[in-house]
Amino acid sequence: LRWHGPSATTQFTATTASQTKWTVMAYLDGDNNLEAFAIAKFLSMSQVGSSSDVKLLAQMDRIPGYDARYGDWTDCKRFLITQGMTPTPSSALQSLGEQNMGDPITLSAFVTWAIQNYPSERYCLIMFNHGSGVVQARVTVEIATPLGICWDDTNGDVLTTIELGQALSAVSSIIHVIYLDACTMGGLEV
């Protein structure tokens, strides 16, 4: 993409003829007790599927013990979601092994991969999992715990909002829409 001026109506010109209008990247962290809901998000996206104008991509990580459907796989996979697709190992474009979805490097690697392989005029990032907003922890005094999204139970990690900023600042393209599909992430401080 090339930048054409500093105004509020900045326009971008596509440099690749095969670009779509939108690339939607879904970061589906099912590596905790929300595994069944991550599967439901995937299935919702597959009701529509990708088209020549919109590419629907997902990086999905799962965990054992919550939902055994679709092959009961428990690592991390990437998908180009087509209409009617189910999240089975044979539908995946890539199998990444276990990934820490609470690590900013994992997020920026997914977004960079999506942008490089599915160039578009516009990009949307959806992040699904638990969200904390501002949570108070009681120790001997009340302290605010880090704001976060994407708890990864296998790796014992969470993507803090500071790490979210770090992950996205490492990406070379503009993300036009960021949708945090998680509890209490709509506050001004987030």
Side-chain angles (χ1 to χ4, degrees):
L1 299 176
R2 291 185 302 231
W3 184 40
H4 294 285
S7 72
T9 58
T10 300
Q11 300 210 0
F12 293 87
T13 304
T15 58
T16 305
S18 64
Q19 285 186 341
T20 59
K21 292 182 180 177
W22 280 92
T23 294
V24 177
M25 303 165 280
Y27 194 73
L28 303 175
D29 184 2
D31 201 343
N32 54 44
N33 64 344
L34 293 181
E35 180 183 17
F37 296 99
I39 291 170
K41 297 291 179 182
F42 185 103
L43 295 173
S44 292
M45 292 170 54
S46 76
Q47 288 179 347
V48 176
S50 296
S51 70
S52 59
D53 287 333
V54 178
K55 296 299 179 204
L56 300 176
L57 305 171
Q59 178 165 309
M60 185 172 172
D61 196 1
R62 294 179 61 183
I63 191 168
Y66 288 100
D67 194 313
R69 292 178 296 164
Y70 305 109
D72 199 20
W73 50 275
T74 59
D75 60 342
C76 188
K77 299 186 185 316
R78 289 181 178 160
F79 300 87
L80 169 62
I81 300 175
T82 58
Q83 190 171 32
M85 177 185 275
T86 56
T88 61
S90 62
S91 297
L93 292 174
Q94 293 180 329
S95 183
L96 304 173
E98 176 55 39
Q99 296 291 305
N100 180 355
M101 297 289 274
D103 186 331
I105 294 170
T106 304
L107 175 60
S108 62
F110 169 58
V111 173
T112 299
W113 169 83
I115 289 169
Q116 288 175 351
N117 290 284
Y118 298 91
S120 185
E121 293 174 23
R122 302 269 189 270
Y123 297 98
C124 172
L125 173 62
I126 300 167
M127 297 181 66
F128 166 78
N129 193 245
H130 290 295
S132 65
V134 176
V135 176
Q136 296 293 320
R138 296 187 193 282
V139 186
T140 54
V141 295
E142 267 190 26
I143 57 169
T145 59
L147 305 175
I149 189 169
C150 294
W151 269 258
D152 186 303
D153 284 2
T154 300
N155 294 287
D157 201 2
V158 60
L159 187 63
T160 68
T161 52
I162 292 170
E163 291 173 330
L164 176 58
Q166 293 167 346
L168 296 180
S169 68
V171 175
S172 62
S173 295
I174 292 175
I175 307 297
H176 298 86
V177 176
I178 298 174
Y179 175 57
L180 303 177
D181 189 359
C183 292
T184 64
M185 295 300 290
L188 179 62
E189 67 282 354
V190 175

